[in-house]
């Protein structure tokens, strides 16, 4: 087993080249709804069963199904109202099962990036060729639906293998959000091609904070606003990234959606904010900062 | 290494991965209207439960079940408090605001406390079947014939006391793949286990359709106050937020504020005043249509042009 990921060098925050986002913005904000399909009766996963209860886990399945039936439509409305385009972490099979939802994302010119096939199929214990098959299937299924390249990746249930990141560039993936090691994009070391990490968040993720720990919607909103405020302040020195990770079945509940609106309204009232999609952040980073970051960093893998 | 069959997806295609109901976001369905001036129904479900001391929590522990080593007298007694004290405090609160609720009753409660059931019926409450007790679960590991027996055993206790029973809530929101079909076969017309919708929808079974009705899990007192350790003020703020959201959405279509409050959780002296205030705020100025499960079910059935709606009890 690996003792450490060895995917990025240790480059302390103060010793980096300064990042400035387009039009002098100090903070890039991106909104990431995870649009997922959980199977009722998936094969038992490589590390644990997909569901806590015997099949059918009616509570677990139906709670997640709420996101696709009701929750996502509240998120569409909230983002429409604030004029914000999201970047969707999309289980590819949603394109086949529930095309209405994927079409509604395309109608809004949202970005679609890959999040595996189903959220009940995890990338553990796979050979490189099996991993390739999953990445290819995810990317091609979404591209066939949208007609646009698929450039980002988040693994279903953040599952992985040791060589997983080396395989992403083979399929045109430019950025991953599977690691949460930084408040700025960073290069990810891969055997061939190029890859960067864009900040996502496990700490402010609605599923962790409200779904698992049960924080009130008001406290979640307070956390997000505090995080945004600090990153906005620090962005004056060097540009930061603030991500709002969402799950329709969590934040799309009637008692929680107002908390999201509260956060969006707060961010909208500030100057120096660049609302971007994952690909827009990646493009800006590759064009302007990637080469310098690579030369500062050298290579972590010798 | 995992086998290649893990990369095959038998159900991958249009719609959901089962035939029980179809994918229909509320906005893509015929518009429902409640028989009231307001379009937000307030449906309160009160679970009346027995958690047997000898229960095993197998094959899983339902939310709120005993969680200490046997014999957990402490846990048993805390839940029994609800049937001795909490329910009467809760009844007083609901009476005060003219709220008829739906009681989801374990058969064992009805056997132990028939007078309580009678007093609920006198108030015009609805009694919904809710299994035998909280350790007799419906789940995928059960033999179908045994589960059918489990259901009829529960209904055989309740029906002679309560007359017709049309609604059902399985302990712990848990079902096998046969539960809906078996319930339909035993005359159950609506079931409040699936938490995937804000409105009723048709669920197909080999014994005909049953109606799936929403019963919030995320807003249940046991989820918020016990599982997530929130305060009563945070709980009432969440329900208030949901009500406010539904009021907004109800300009387009009907909504149901469906909450379950347990006598052994909300019925404590330190929580009841905040709950009363919540009720006062919810029912103020006729903002909600106070309904029992069967009232909502009946309105849904009549609007879906089903000829077999239930006669009023």
């Amino acid at each position: 087993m690996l003792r450490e990921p060895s995917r990025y060098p240790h480059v302390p925050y103060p010793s980096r080249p300064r990042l400035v986002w387009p039009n002098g913005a100090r903070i890039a904000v991106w909104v990431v709804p995870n649009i997922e399909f959980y199977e009722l009766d998936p094969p038992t996963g490589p590390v644990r069963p997909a569901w806590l209860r015997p099949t059918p886990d009616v509570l677990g399945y139906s709670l997640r199904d709420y996101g696709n039936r009701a929750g996502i439509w509240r998120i569409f409305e909230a983002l429409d109202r604030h004029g914000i385009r999201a970047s969707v972490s999309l289980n590819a099979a949603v394109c086949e099962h529930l095309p209405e939802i994927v079409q509604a994302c395309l109608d809004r010119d949202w970005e679609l990036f890959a999040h595996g096939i189903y959220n009940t199929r995890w990338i553990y214990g796979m050979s490189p060729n099996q991993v390739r098959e999953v990445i290819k299937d995810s990317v091609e299924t979404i591209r066939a639906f949208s007609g646009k390249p698929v450039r980002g990746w988040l693994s279903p249930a953040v599952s992985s293998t040791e060589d997983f990141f080396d395989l992403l560039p083979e399929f045109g993936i430019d950025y991953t959000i599977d690691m949460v090691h930084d408040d700025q994009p960073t290069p990810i070391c891969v055997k061939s091609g190029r890859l960067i990490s864009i900040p996502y968040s496990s700490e402010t993720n609605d599923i962790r904070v409200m779904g698992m720990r049960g924080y009130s919607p008001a406290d979640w909103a307070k956390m997000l606003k505090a995080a945004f405020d600090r990153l906005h302040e620090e962005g004056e020195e060097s540009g930061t990234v603030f991500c709002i990770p969402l799950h329709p079945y969590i934040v799309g509940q009637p008692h929680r959606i107002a908390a999201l609106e509260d956060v969006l309204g707060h961010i909208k009232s500030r100057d120096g904010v660049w609302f971007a999609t994952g690909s827009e952040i990646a493009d800006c980073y590759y064009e302007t900062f990637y080469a310098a970051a690579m030369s500062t960093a050298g290579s972590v893998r010798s | 290494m995992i086998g290649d069959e893990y990369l095959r997806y038998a159900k991958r295609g249009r719609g959901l991965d089962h035939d029980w109901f179809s994918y229909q976001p509320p906005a893509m369905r015929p518009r429902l209207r409640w028989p009231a001036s307001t379009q937000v129904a307030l449906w309160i479900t009160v679970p009346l439960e027995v958690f047997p001391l000898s229960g095993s929590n197998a094959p899983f522990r339902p939310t709120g079940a005993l969680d200490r080593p046997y014999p957990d007298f402490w846990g048993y007694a805390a839940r029994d408090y609800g049937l001795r004290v909490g329910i009467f405090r809760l009844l007083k609160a609901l009476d005060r605001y003219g709220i008829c609720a739906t009681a989801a009753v374990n058969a064992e409660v009805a056997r132990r406390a028939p007078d309580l059931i009678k007093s609920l019926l006198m108030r015009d409450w609805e009694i919904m079947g809710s299994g035998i007790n909280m350790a007799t679960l419906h789940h995928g590991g059960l033999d179908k014939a045994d589960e059918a027996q489990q259901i009829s055993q529960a209904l055989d206790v309740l029906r002679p006391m309560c007359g017709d029973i049309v609604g059902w809530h399985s302990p712990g929101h848990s079902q096998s793949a046969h539960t809906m079909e078996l319930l339909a076969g035993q005359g159950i017309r609506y079931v409040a286990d699936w938490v995937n919708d804000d409105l009723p929808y048709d669920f197909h079974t080999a014994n005909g359709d049953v109606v799936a009705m929403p019963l919030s899990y995320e807003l249940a007192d046991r989820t918020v106050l016990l599982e997530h350790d929130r305060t009563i003020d945070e709980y009432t703020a969440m329900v208030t937020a949901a009500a406010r959201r539904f009021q907004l959405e109800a300009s387009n279509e009907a909504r149901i504020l469906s909450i379950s409050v347990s006598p052994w959780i909300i019925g404590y002296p330190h929580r009841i005043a905040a709950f009363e205030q919540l009720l006062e705020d919810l029912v103020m100025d006729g903002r909600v249509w106070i309904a029992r499960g069967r009232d909502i079910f009946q309105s849904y059935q009549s609007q879906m042009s089903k000829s077999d709606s239930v006669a009023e009890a």
Side-chain angles (χ1 to χ4, degrees), chain A residues 217-236:
Chain A
D219 282 346
W220 176 71
K222 201 172 152 189
M223 283 173 76
L224 282 173
K225 288 190 280 186
F228 168 82
D229 285 348
R230 178 51 63 108
L231 290 169
H232 183 263
E233 185 187 317
E234 292 176 355
E236 196 177 4

Side-chain angles (χ1 to χ4, degrees), chain A residues 53 61 66 68 74 96-97, chain B residues 12 15 17 23 172 198 249:
Chain A
R53 297 178 172 188
Y61 179 90
Y66 184 89
N68 290 331
R74 292 197 178 104
E96 286 129 344
H97 286 288
Chain B
R12 192 169 165 184
D17 56 345
Y23 174 71
D198 294 317
E249 294 179 354

Side-chain angles (χ1 to χ4, degrees), chain A residues 52-54 57 59, chain B residues 51-52 55-69 72 75-76 79 134-139 171-174 217 222-223 225-229 264-265:
Chain A
L52 298 172
R53 297 178 172 188
D57 185 339
L59 184 59
Chain B
F51 294 84
S56 69
N57 285 339
F60 65 91
R61 176 182 170 266
T63 308
L66 302 189
D67 56 1
R68 296 161 63 86
D72 183 3
Y76 182 93
R79 287 153 187 79
M134 296 308 287
T136 310
L137 300 170
H138 298 257
H139 61 83
H173 289 262
S174 180
Y217 176 74
R222 70 190 57 195
T223 306
L225 296 167
L226 294 190
E227 203 73 355
H228 290 154
D229 268 335
W264 59 277
I265 301 174

Side-chain angles (χ1 to χ4, degrees), chain B residues 149-279:
Chain B
Q149 178 67 27
Q150 212 167 288
I151 293 168
S152 57
Q153 216 180 308
L155 291 173
D156 287 351
V157 172
L158 291 177
R159 281 191 164 133
M161 297 171 77
C162 312
D164 199 18
I165 302 266
V166 294
W168 179 274
H169 169 63
S170 304
H173 289 262
S174 180
Q175 298 188 343
S176 74
H178 307 296
T179 307
M180 290 296 241
E181 174 191 336
L182 294 172
L183 289 169
Q186 299 199 35
I188 292 296
R189 310 293 306 284
Y190 79 83
V191 179
D193 288 345
W194 290 67
V195 295
N196 53 352
D197 214 299
D198 294 317
L199 289 171
Y201 62 88
D202 293 335
F203 191 111
H204 315 304
T205 85
N207 288 324
D209 283 5
V210 278
V211 173
M213 291 261 284
L215 176 59
S216 176
Y217 176 74
E218 294 283 284
L219 279 179
D221 59 354
R222 70 190 57 195
T223 306
V224 178
L225 296 167
L226 294 190
E227 203 73 355
H228 290 154
D229 268 335
R230 295 303 109 184
T231 64
I232 186 69
D233 291 337
E234 287 176 290
Y235 173 72
T236 58
M238 288 185 208
V239 176
T240 303
R244 201 176 297 136
R245 177 70 197 191
F246 282 156
Q247 292 291 357
L248 281 177
E249 294 179 354
S251 60
N252 295 321
E253 53 182 336
R255 284 286 181 261
I256 304 168
L257 180 60
S258 166
I259 54 172
S260 105
V261 284
S262 316
W264 59 277
I265 301 174
I266 210 88
Y268 275 108
H270 59 287
R271 294 194 178 119
I272 197 74
F275 183 64
E276 286 168 346
Q277 185 60 51
L278 172 68
L279 292 178

Side-chain angles (χ1 to χ4, degrees), chain A residues 30-33 71-82 84 86 110 204 206 210 216-218 220-222 224-225 242-248 250-268, chain B residues 245:
Chain A
W30 71 312
V31 181
V32 180
I72 186 63
W73 306 97
R74 292 197 178 104
I75 293 178
F76 284 137
E77 199 192 307
L79 294 187
D80 287 352
R81 185 171 305 130
H82 289 89
I84 297 170
W110 287 10
T204 56
D206 62 345
M210 294 189 286
S216 71
W220 176 71
K222 201 172 152 189
L224 282 173
K225 288 190 280 186
F242 178 66
C243 181
I244 305 181
L246 300 174
H247 293 77
I250 300 289
V251 79
Q253 295 279 346
H255 59 293
R256 297 197 179 114
I257 194 71
L260 175 62
E261 302 242 19
D262 179 23
V263 172
L264 298 177
H266 176 82
I267 297 173
K268 274 273 164 177
Chain B
R245 177 70 197 191

Side-chain angles (χ1 to χ4, degrees), chain A residues 183-197:
Chain A
D183 288 328
Q184 295 181 327
T186 72
I188 293 293
C189 306
V190 287
K191 274 192 185 128
S192 58
R194 59 176 200 178
L195 187 67
I196 60 169
S197 166

